[in-house]
Amino acid sequence: MNWLEQSIMYTRGVARGQVGTTHELTEARQHTFHYTMGPYSDPVLNIAPGDRVVVETRDAFDGKIRTEKDLPSQHLKVPFLNPQNGPIMIDGAEKGDVVAVYIESMLPRGDNPRGTCCLIPRFGALTGTEYTATLNEPLPEITRKIDLDEDGVYWSKRIKLPYKPHIGTLSLSPEIDSINSLTPDNHGGNMDVPDMGPGSITYLPVRSPGGRLFIGDAHACQGDGEVCGTAVEYSSTTTIHVELIKNWQIAWPRLETDELLMTIGSARPLEDATRIAYHELVRWLELEYGFDRWDAYMMLSQCGKVRLGNFVDPKYSVGAAINKKYLAPAVA
Amino acid sequence: MNWLEQSIMYTRGVARGQVGTTHELTEARQHTFHYTMGPYSDPVLNIAPGDRVVVETRDAFDGKIRTEKDLPSQHLKVPFLNPQNGPIMIDGAEKGDVVAVYIESMLPRGDNPRGTCCLIPRFGALTGTEYTATLNEPLPEITRKIDLDEDGVYWSKRIKLPYKPHIGTLSLSPEIDSINSLTPDNHGGNMDVPDMGPGSITYLPVRSPGGRLFIGDAHACQGDGEVCGTAVEYSSTTTIHVELIKNWQIAWPRLETDELLMTIGSARPLEDATRIAYHELVRWLELEYGFDRWDAYMMLSQCGKVRLGNFVDPKYSVGAAINKKYLAPAVA
Amino acid sequence: MNWLEQSIMYTRGVARGQVGTTHELTEARQHTFHYTMGPYSDPVLNIAPGDRVVVETRDAFDGKIRTEKDLPSQHLKVPFLNPQNGPIMIDGAEKGDVVAVYIESMLPRGDNPRGTCCLIPRFGALTGTEYTATLNEPLPEITRKIDLDEDGVYWSKRIKLPYKPHIGTLSLSPEIDSINSLTPDNHGGNMDVPDMGPGSITYLPVRSPGGRLFIGDAHACQGDGEVCGTAVEYSSTTTIHVELIKNWQIAWPRLETDELLMTIGSARPLEDATRIAYHELVRWLELEYGFDRWDAYMMLSQCGKVRLGNFVDPKYSVGAAINKKYLAPAVA
Amino acid sequence: MNWLEQSIMYTRGVARGQVGTTHELTEARQHTFHYTMGPYSDPVLNIAPGDRVVVETRDAFDGKIRTEKDLPSQHLKVPFLNPQNGPIMIDGAEKGDVVAVYIESMLPRGDNPRGTCCLIPRFGALTGTEYTATLNEPLPEITRKIDLDEDGVYWSKRIKLPYKPHIGTLSLSPEIDSINSLTPDNHGGNMDVPDMGPGSITYLPVRSPGGRLFIGDAHACQGDGEVCGTAVEYSSTTTIHVELIKNWQIAWPRLETDELLMTIGSARPLEDATRIAYHELVRWLELEYGFDRWDAYMMLSQCGKVRLGNFVDPKYSVGAAINKKYLAPAVA
């Protein structure tokens, strides 16, 4: 049996895993991409729980970096970075619910798909930045264009990396804030967690009517931490299956795969992001999996898994996870 | 001669320090208070550079904590905290300009003015919070109502504190974000810097047409850091004199008093807020006061002053300052 | 061919991977365990490069927590925690060299081996601590004794965890500091990196004559971050093969396995530990594997792996790694 | 009446403020300066509680930077920085006691006293460092020699700064660690708190027999944060009056002046240093000044003062203070 049938999404979702209508959210239909996630933008699509959406995402540079001679400082204009599709309204979604997003597939778009990786001045983990404000000269500005297909990411003659796509930015709307698409927080946002690829389900808390789903920032591959500040950014056709879970109060995004349950925290300093993730995981085990709080805490100290999303965005993202095999109920 | 006449506000402002029309921004006129600062709300007032505004601010609890029996968890509803007056549109303000706000006076409102200080669960510096997520039980929830007048803040029979009012939250709008009124950032916001009282000028970068000035969160007094999470929060009549300085590119808020020039950074961790503040101050001395960059940096290492605003908000705020006497031009 | 034969340890070590004398460092021979790592303690053993040492380590509680009724606050006395075997002097080791420690095996000691996991007041990631000083009441104090053998760690009736042993604390001496055994830093120390188990080689920088190797703190298993503050702490028989690499200047510990090369940073905040680890890895690729610096930086942004050691010690530890398959020289 | 007579030092000290023998700790007598503070070095002096010591301190560069052409990288050798006088043994000091150090005076030494301020590569607050490890090129290396006397510090033709001397590094020994003289912690160390000048009393916890007092690192003046990494470092004649307070359990250094009581925390990130300082101050008010814990916490939120020591050392230092006038007992 497919693990999805036993997933939280399928067992608790309104549509019980049934796939409804398939919508096409093409670039043309999207028309105006968004650079903040909030309650103030016009919906681009209304869907029912269980519907599938085929989304044409743009790369994080809005396609403006076309050759290795195009430098970020010439073509990018802060804060108009990381364009998002959406908002997609989910019928019946209300504050206190959860929207589940299962990623079915992510394919490169275009005849000659290429990804883009840039070294952007004063951005990245190993440089002074706007926040870690130093007086050092910035690092050099560099653009790399990388051929890729479903078989691999051709980094250099020497090195072929696996094609391991994931969605960098996935959000519902905050209740009253409108947050730029570079910043992750408890609404989701620019988390850059490599696990958020095909085969994963992300659970996001609903805070405004319809949920208002935003999606973008496809990565063909990405290392833990996204250390230089960018992944192999590319334009994708991403197919998602969206569900609604009523009356599930969660404070931060969560993720499920065949193998694990993960909670995701985003904050600075990095220990606070990690604290949030593990705190949410302890509480989840306590509230929904029959663990004593302190037993959950002590057990995760022995088997918890941590994934560093990014530590380059305005807030850093960390996932804390447990293998689902440890959650099976005790044999009577 | 009054120092104001030589201030940046008076010497570089459009109105050259002339006071224009006085506007009354009463509670009734404000009608709808705001909980985010951004470009999406309707203006409440249009003013010209040089105009004066008399603002009736509400306390950070929106007046809902009336007695010491009123607990925050009963009466407050996140994120509807820290109500802001505004947005006030300043004629001619455009991206790349600066709006200057001189605080003329801050008076308690009402016949029997009282301030409010609360210990709010999972909020404050010496407790686990939403971000520094711990499994400890929260601290007790406590409300204090404190009599105050222009002569003092009557903390207890034992202790009378000086009445040293300041504005906790002062902002222009970000370019595209709409940021909740608890969070400071480079647009200003909930900085809680005690120097921002009567006699101070705050300089804020314009990022959207008209600037969109928000103001609120009066404190009758506050210690460095606002350690328990709240000051003596009160409703005030605050009179401000607003100016516009064209073509002054600043990245973060700045403040001027008779004695000092200050730059204000807001970030986590706290060292990043301090780095931002000092970085901005070094650059200011270099660009506008004739210092060599490295001389400014090394000299501030000998005479810089640091003020901790808050270290309890979603971002912490720090001011770095230099006494203006060190900025006098060298004798020829 | 065994990967070890191509390891840095074997190809650059003085003994070229030859195994010399086997020494027994029993509890009796150790006699006095150490709670700081520094240049001021008396050597317990002198070995030649290539020698093997069979070490009887004590658990981090010095064996004082014998039953689930023994509470840490009753039996432990700060700073006398985490007893270390050593110092072992390596012939010929001088400042500027590296000592390599290959862990051959780790076996539980005793007839009825049991591990210990404690919740210690004001220690751990999800609680206020001595540093993250809060006024909350501490978490409950709890002791768990856990049966274990080479087949598994029997956490509860419900859950059996894999036996995945590793050494929590491994160090050479700093040049002049003597650092308590709870704190990791650039000398090694209490890093709690789960990869540091049988089959791994750790490279440590020599800073004082003979290197002065300390070892202890065996864990039968541990999750990323060691979130509650302790692993399944147990007394082990750990067999190590020790080598000396002359004239290899490294600033922080490194680790090699069949699959990966890792650099380890220890600092607070956690982003600094991560920065150190990735900075060292970029520089390593540049200096020893023929990468351009910026190419290494940008490539690690696509394929770097991060392991969180602990984020509960006085400094947090992070490993950044690359799969060795990407380091193969380009085909001519 | 001199405030000293009512100070904690005088009212609780063994010698009750009486000044005993005056000892001369000249450079010659010191002979070997120390670069770690710990229990492993040989005492240089034994004194009784109440004794006065006249200490000839060396500057933090050990006098090796003689002209503006002498660059730190040429003349300094890590970790042999910041030489300390001591250890001075105080008769009767035992673990659980406190040693009080009143600074009577600090005078420049030599006929033509000059201070030294250096910009050291990869050291300071506005640059990448060993911990905040960036790939940026380091800042330029610069040495400044500054004439000074008791009337002022002659920074440039344009700027004369006040002579405001203080001791940068003051410590007792940790119990078992030996900590380099660049690092502050709960034993004291390189705190760089500008309040620690003539007229102040520092209270340090005794952790080993005799206390083992170390002192050094005189600054002719210093701004909050010591932002470039160094102050106006100079060689001084510093006269201290040393007392012993029996059975006073304190966890971190404290400081008293005519006006205030201060607690000092040292940690990273900077918010943790601030948390420690305020936590200790709340507890102090509760345990020794008759405050309810929560009242103390909430009141400090209104009147607490924060001093940033350094935020450039391996740990950052922060003082939290209260004006002593608020500690007067309530009138009956």
Side-chain angles (χ1 to χ4, degrees):
Chain A
M1 187 176 68
N2 189 320
W3 72 271
L4 273 176
E5 295 178 20
Q6 296 195 324
S7 69
I8 299 166
M9 174 175 170
Y10 275 45
T11 56
R12 294 173 64 173
V14 166
R16 298 284 153 186
Q18 297 301 309
V19 180
T21 307
T22 296
H23 308 261
E24 305 279 339
L25 186 51
T26 60
E27 279 204 76
R29 181 162 183 184
Q30 178 64 46
H31 190 261
T32 302
F33 284 75
H34 293 283
Y35 301 95
T36 68
M37 282 83 93
Y40 307 108
S41 44
D42 292 329
V44 66
L45 191 65
N46 288 273
I47 67 172
D51 282 2
R52 172 190 279 138
V53 189
V54 182
V55 187
E56 291 184 357
T57 70
R58 283 192 184 159
D59 75 30
F61 308 115
D62 222 352
K64 292 174 182 162
I65 308 290
R66 301 184 185 200
T67 76
E68 295 198 342
K69 290 183 180 163
D70 291 339
L71 297 184
S73 63
Q74 297 166 334
H75 293 275
L76 305 180
K77 204 177 149 213
V78 176
F80 301 99
L81 300 171
N82 198 10
Q84 298 294 304
N85 296 74
I88 301 168
M89 311 301 281
I90 295 95
D91 292 350
E94 298 170 298
K95 190 174 172 180
D97 298 340
V98 161
V99 164
V101 180
Y102 173 66
I103 300 179
E104 291 188 2
S105 64
M106 294 181 68
L107 301 176
R109 282 204 289 140
D111 290 339
N112 270 310
R114 291 206 296 169
T116 309
C117 176
C118 291
L119 215 47
I120 301 172
R122 290 172 65 81
F123 189 71
L126 302 187
T127 176
T129 66
E130 181 188 0
Y131 301 103
T132 305
T134 69
L135 294 166
N136 304 85
E137 288 300 307
L139 304 186
E141 196 169 11
I142 298 173
T143 293
R144 286 289 314 278
K145 299 295 288 190
I146 308 108
D147 290 325
L148 60 87
D149 58 30
E150 291 174 65
D151 186 50
V153 174
Y154 304 89
W155 182 260
S156 65
K157 287 181 182 170
R158 191 172 166 184
I159 293 167
K160 175 185 168 186
L161 300 170
Y163 179 71
K164 292 192 63 177
H166 67 103
I167 280 294
T169 309
L170 189 63
S171 331
L172 296 185
S173 174
E175 185 164 4
I176 59 173
D177 289 56
S178 194
I179 299 180
N180 64 74
S181 49
L182 292 182
T183 304
D185 206 321
N186 58 28
H187 68 297
N190 192 19
M191 297 172 281
D192 298 313
V193 171
D195 306 81
M196 205 170 282
S200 71
I201 306 166
T202 301
Y203 300 103
L204 296 165
V206 178
R207 300 216 164 99
S208 70
R212 309 180 65 84
L213 179 67
F214 296 85
I215 182 169
D217 192 22
H219 295 170
C221 63
Q222 184 206 295
D224 298 344
E226 201 183 10
V227 63
C228 91
T230 53
V232 176
E233 314 283 343
Y234 77 129
S235 58
S236 80
T237 300
T238 293
T239 301
I240 56 176
H241 176 200
V242 183
E243 254 283 21
L244 175 66
I245 299 172
K246 296 296 293 178
N247 300 312
W248 190 22
Q249 304 260 357
I250 67 176
W252 290 86
R254 297 179 178 182
L255 185 144
E256 181 177 9
T257 66
D258 184 7
E259 193 175 284
L260 57 79
L261 291 186
M262 178 184 282
T263 45
I264 301 172
S266 295
R268 287 194 183 198
L270 187 54
E271 51 265 46
D272 270 3
T274 317
R275 282 178 178 124
I276 291 166
Y278 262 126
H279 180 272
E280 292 299 299
L281 190 54
V282 169
R283 295 284 290 154
W284 195 3
L285 296 191
E286 179 187 3
L287 291 174
E288 302 190 11
Y289 291 92
F291 282 80
D292 169 80
R293 181 183 300 181
W294 312 119
D295 184 42
Y297 183 35
M298 296 172 81
M299 183 186 67
L300 287 170
S301 198
Q302 315 318 326
C303 67
K305 292 293 172 194
V306 167
R307 171 76 78 177
L308 181 59
N310 83 81
F311 76 119
V312 295
D313 293 339
K315 296 193 176 187
Y316 308 139
S317 295
V318 171
I322 185 169
N323 194 308
K324 291 200 284 190
K325 71 183 170 193
Y326 299 128
L327 302 178
V331 178
Chain B
M1 189 175 67
N2 189 321
W3 73 271
L4 273 175
E5 296 178 19
Q6 296 194 323
S7 68
I8 300 166
M9 174 175 171
Y10 274 45
T11 56
R12 295 173 64 174
V14 166
R16 298 283 154 187
Q18 298 300 310
V19 179
T21 306
T22 296
H23 307 262
E24 305 280 338
L25 186 51
T26 60
E27 279 205 76
R29 181 160 184 186
Q30 179 64 45
H31 190 261
T32 301
F33 284 76
H34 294 283
Y35 300 95
T36 69
M37 282 83 92
Y40 308 108
S41 44
D42 293 329
V44 67
L45 191 65
N46 288 271
I47 68 171
D51 282 2
R52 173 189 278 137
V53 189
V54 182
V55 187
E56 290 184 357
T57 71
R58 284 193 184 157
D59 74 30
F61 307 117
D62 224 350
K64 291 175 183 162
I65 308 291
R66 301 181 185 204
T67 77
E68 297 197 342
K69 290 182 181 164
D70 291 340
L71 297 185
S73 64
Q74 297 166 335
H75 294 273
L76 305 180
K77 201 178 152 212
V78 177
F80 302 99
L81 300 171
N82 198 11
Q84 299 294 303
N85 296 74
I88 300 169
M89 311 302 280
I90 295 95
D91 292 349
E94 298 170 297
K95 189 173 172 181
D97 299 340
V98 161
V99 164
V101 181
Y102 174 65
I103 301 179
E104 291 189 1
S105 65
M106 295 181 67
L107 301 176
R109 282 205 287 139
D111 290 339
N112 270 311
R114 292 206 297 170
T116 309
C117 177
C118 291
L119 215 48
I120 301 172
R122 290 173 63 81
F123 190 70
L126 302 187
T127 175
T129 66
E130 181 188 1
Y131 301 103
T132 305
T134 68
L135 293 165
N136 304 85
E137 288 300 307
L139 304 185
E141 197 169 11
I142 297 174
T143 293
R144 285 287 315 275
K145 298 295 287 191
I146 308 109
D147 290 324
L148 59 89
D149 57 30
E150 291 174 63
D151 186 49
V153 174
Y154 304 90
W155 182 260
S156 65
K157 288 182 183 170
R158 190 171 166 182
I159 291 168
K160 175 186 168 186
L161 300 170
Y163 178 71
K164 291 193 63 176
H166 68 102
I167 279 294
T169 308
L170 189 63
S171 332
L172 296 186
S173 174
E175 186 163 2
I176 58 172
D177 289 56
S178 195
I179 299 179
N180 65 72
S181 49
L182 292 182
T183 304
D185 206 320
N186 58 28
H187 68 298
N190 192 19
M191 297 172 281
D192 298 313
V193 172
D195 306 80
M196 205 171 281
S200 71
I201 306 167
T202 301
Y203 300 103
L204 296 166
V206 178
R207 301 216 164 97
S208 70
R212 310 181 64 86
L213 179 66
F214 295 86
I215 183 170
D217 193 20
H219 294 170
C221 63
Q222 184 206 298
D224 297 343
E226 201 183 10
V227 63
C228 91
T230 53
V232 176
E233 314 282 345
Y234 76 131
S235 57
S236 80
T237 301
T238 293
T239 302
I240 57 176
H241 175 199
V242 182
E243 255 282 22
L244 176 65
I245 299 171
K246 296 295 294 179
N247 300 312
W248 190 23
Q249 304 260 357
I250 66 176
W252 290 86
R254 297 178 179 183
L255 184 143
E256 182 178 9
T257 67
D258 184 7
E259 193 175 285
L260 56 78
L261 291 187
M262 178 183 281
T263 45
I264 301 172
S266 296
R268 289 194 180 197
L270 187 53
E271 51 265 45
D272 270 3
T274 316
R275 283 179 178 124
I276 292 166
Y278 262 127
H279 180 273
E280 292 298 299
L281 191 54
V282 169
R283 295 285 289 154
W284 196 4
L285 296 190
E286 179 187 4
L287 292 174
E288 302 190 11
Y289 292 93
F291 282 80
D292 168 80
R293 182 184 299 182
W294 312 119
D295 184 43
Y297 183 34
M298 295 172 82
M299 184 187 67
L300 287 171
S301 199
Q302 314 318 325
C303 68
K305 292 294 171 192
V306 167
R307 171 75 78 178
L308 180 60
N310 83 79
F311 76 118
V312 295
D313 292 340
K315 296 192 177 187
Y316 307 139
S317 294
V318 171
I322 184 169
N323 194 309
K324 291 200 284 191
K325 70 184 171 194
Y326 298 128
L327 303 178
V331 177
Chain C
M1 187 175 69
N2 189 320
W3 72 271
L4 272 175
E5 294 178 21
Q6 297 195 323
S7 69
I8 300 167
M9 174 175 170
Y10 274 47
T11 56
R12 295 174 63 175
V14 166
R16 299 284 152 183
Q18 297 301 311
V19 180
T21 307
T22 297
H23 308 261
E24 306 279 339
L25 186 51
T26 60
E27 279 204 76
R29 181 160 183 187
Q30 179 64 47
H31 191 262
T32 302
F33 284 75
H34 294 283
Y35 301 95
T36 68
M37 282 82 93
Y40 308 108
S41 44
D42 292 330
V44 67
L45 191 65
N46 289 272
I47 69 172
D51 282 2
R52 173 189 279 138
V53 189
V54 182
V55 187
E56 292 184 354
T57 71
R58 284 192 183 159
D59 75 31
F61 308 115
D62 223 350
K64 291 175 183 161
I65 309 290
R66 302 185 185 202
T67 75
E68 296 198 342
K69 291 184 181 164
D70 290 341
L71 298 184
S73 63
Q74 297 165 335
H75 293 274
L76 305 180
K77 201 176 151 214
V78 177
F80 301 99
L81 301 171
N82 197 11
Q84 298 295 303
N85 296 74
I88 300 168
M89 310 303 279
I90 295 94
D91 292 349
E94 298 169 298
K95 190 175 173 180
D97 298 339
V98 161
V99 164
V101 180
Y102 173 66
I103 301 179
E104 292 188 0
S105 64
M106 296 181 65
L107 301 176
R109 282 205 288 140
D111 290 339
N112 269 312
R114 290 206 299 168
T116 308
C117 176
C118 291
L119 215 47
I120 301 172
R122 290 173 63 81
F123 190 71
L126 302 186
T127 176
T129 67
E130 181 188 0
Y131 301 102
T132 304
T134 68
L135 293 165
N136 304 86
E137 289 299 308
L139 304 185
E141 196 168 14
I142 298 174
T143 293
R144 286 290 312 279
K145 298 296 286 192
I146 308 107
D147 290 325
L148 60 88
D149 57 31
E150 290 173 66
D151 185 50
V153 174
Y154 304 88
W155 182 260
S156 65
K157 287 181 183 171
R158 191 172 165 182
I159 293 168
K160 174 185 168 186
L161 300 170
Y163 178 71
K164 291 192 62 176
H166 67 103
I167 280 294
T169 308
L170 188 64
S171 330
L172 296 185
S173 175
E175 186 164 3
I176 59 173
D177 289 57
S178 195
I179 299 179
N180 64 72
S181 49
L182 291 182
T183 303
D185 206 321
N186 57 27
H187 67 298
N190 192 19
M191 297 173 281
D192 298 313
V193 172
D195 306 80
M196 205 170 282
S200 71
I201 306 167
T202 301
Y203 301 103
L204 296 165
V206 177
R207 301 216 164 97
S208 70
R212 310 179 64 85
L213 179 66
F214 295 86
I215 183 170
D217 192 22
H219 294 169
C221 63
Q222 184 207 296
D224 297 344
E226 201 182 11
V227 63
C228 91
T230 52
V232 176
E233 315 282 345
Y234 76 131
S235 57
S236 80
T237 301
T238 293
T239 302
I240 56 176
H241 175 200
V242 182
E243 253 283 19
L244 175 67
I245 300 171
K246 297 295 293 180
N247 300 311
W248 191 23
Q249 303 261 354
I250 66 175
W252 290 87
R254 297 178 179 182
L255 184 142
E256 181 178 9
T257 67
D258 184 7
E259 192 175 285
L260 56 79
L261 291 186
M262 178 183 281
T263 46
I264 301 172
S266 297
R268 288 193 180 197
L270 187 54
E271 50 265 47
D272 270 3
T274 318
R275 283 180 178 123
I276 292 165
Y278 261 127
H279 180 273
E280 292 300 297
L281 190 54
V282 169
R283 295 286 289 155
W284 196 3
L285 297 191
E286 179 187 4
L287 292 174
E288 303 190 11
Y289 291 92
F291 283 81
D292 168 79
R293 183 183 299 181
W294 311 119
D295 184 43
Y297 184 33
M298 295 173 82
M299 183 186 68
L300 287 170
S301 199
Q302 314 320 324
C303 67
K305 292 294 171 193
V306 167
R307 172 74 78 178
L308 180 60
N310 84 79
F311 75 120
V312 296
D313 292 341
K315 297 193 177 189
Y316 308 139
S317 295
V318 171
I322 185 169
N323 194 307
K324 291 198 284 189
K325 70 184 170 193
Y326 299 129
L327 303 178
V331 177
Chain D
M1 187 176 69
N2 188 320
W3 72 271
L4 273 175
E5 295 178 21
Q6 297 194 323
S7 68
I8 299 167
M9 174 176 171
Y10 274 46
T11 55
R12 294 173 63 174
V14 166
R16 298 284 153 186
Q18 297 300 311
V19 180
T21 306
T22 296
H23 308 263
E24 305 280 340
L25 186 51
T26 61
E27 279 205 74
R29 181 161 183 186
Q30 179 64 45
H31 191 264
T32 302
F33 284 76
H34 293 283
Y35 301 95
T36 68
M37 282 83 93
Y40 308 108
S41 44
D42 291 330
V44 68
L45 191 65
N46 289 272
I47 68 172
D51 282 2
R52 173 189 279 137
V53 189
V54 182
V55 187
E56 291 185 356
T57 71
R58 284 192 183 159
D59 74 30
F61 308 115
D62 222 350
K64 290 174 184 163
I65 309 289
R66 302 185 184 201
T67 76
E68 296 198 344
K69 291 182 180 162
D70 291 340
L71 297 185
S73 63
Q74 297 166 335
H75 293 274
L76 305 181
K77 202 178 150 214
V78 178
F80 301 99
L81 301 171
N82 198 9
Q84 298 294 305
N85 296 74
I88 302 169
M89 312 301 281
I90 296 95
D91 292 349
E94 299 170 298
K95 190 174 173 181
D97 298 340
V98 162
V99 165
V101 180
Y102 173 66
I103 300 178
E104 291 189 2
S105 64
M106 295 180 67
L107 300 175
R109 281 204 289 140
D111 289 339
N112 270 310
R114 291 206 299 169
T116 308
C117 177
C118 291
L119 215 48
I120 302 172
R122 291 173 65 82
F123 189 70
L126 302 187
T127 176
T129 66
E130 182 188 359
Y131 300 103
T132 304
T134 69
L135 293 166
N136 304 85
E137 288 301 306
L139 304 186
E141 196 169 10
I142 298 174
T143 293
R144 286 288 315 277
K145 298 295 289 191
I146 308 108
D147 290 325
L148 60 88
D149 57 30
E150 290 174 65
D151 186 50
V153 175
Y154 304 90
W155 183 260
S156 65
K157 287 182 183 169
R158 191 171 165 182
I159 293 167
K160 174 186 169 186
L161 300 170
Y163 179 71
K164 290 192 65 174
H166 67 104
I167 279 295
T169 309
L170 189 64
S171 331
L172 296 185
S173 175
E175 186 163 2
I176 59 173
D177 288 56
S178 195
I179 298 180
N180 64 74
S181 49
L182 292 182
T183 304
D185 206 321
N186 58 26
H187 68 296
N190 192 19
M191 297 172 280
D192 298 312
V193 172
D195 306 81
M196 205 170 281
S200 72
I201 307 166
T202 301
Y203 301 103
L204 296 166
V206 178
R207 301 217 164 96
S208 70
R212 310 179 65 84
L213 180 66
F214 296 86
I215 183 169
D217 192 20
H219 295 170
C221 63
Q222 185 207 295
D224 297 344
E226 200 183 13
V227 62
C228 90
T230 53
V232 176
E233 315 283 344
Y234 76 131
S235 58
S236 81
T237 301
T238 293
T239 302
I240 57 176
H241 176 199
V242 182
E243 254 283 20
L244 177 66
I245 299 171
K246 296 295 292 180
N247 300 312
W248 190 24
Q249 304 260 356
I250 66 176
W252 291 86
R254 297 178 179 182
L255 184 144
E256 181 177 11
T257 67
D258 185 7
E259 194 175 284
L260 55 78
L261 291 186
M262 179 183 281
T263 45
I264 300 172
S266 297
R268 286 196 183 197
L270 187 54
E271 52 264 46
D272 271 3
T274 317
R275 282 179 178 123
I276 291 166
Y278 262 127
H279 180 273
E280 290 301 296
L281 190 54
V282 168
R283 295 285 291 154
W284 196 2
L285 296 190
E286 179 187 4
L287 291 174
E288 302 190 13
Y289 291 93
F291 283 81
D292 169 78
R293 182 184 299 182
W294 311 119
D295 184 42
Y297 183 34
M298 295 172 83
M299 184 186 66
L300 287 170
S301 198
Q302 315 318 325
C303 67
K305 292 293 170 194
V306 167
R307 171 76 78 180
L308 180 60
N310 82 81
F311 75 119
V312 295
D313 293 339
K315 296 192 177 189
Y316 308 139
S317 294
V318 171
I322 185 169
N323 194 308
K324 290 199 285 190
K325 70 183 171 194
Y326 299 128
L327 303 178
V331 177

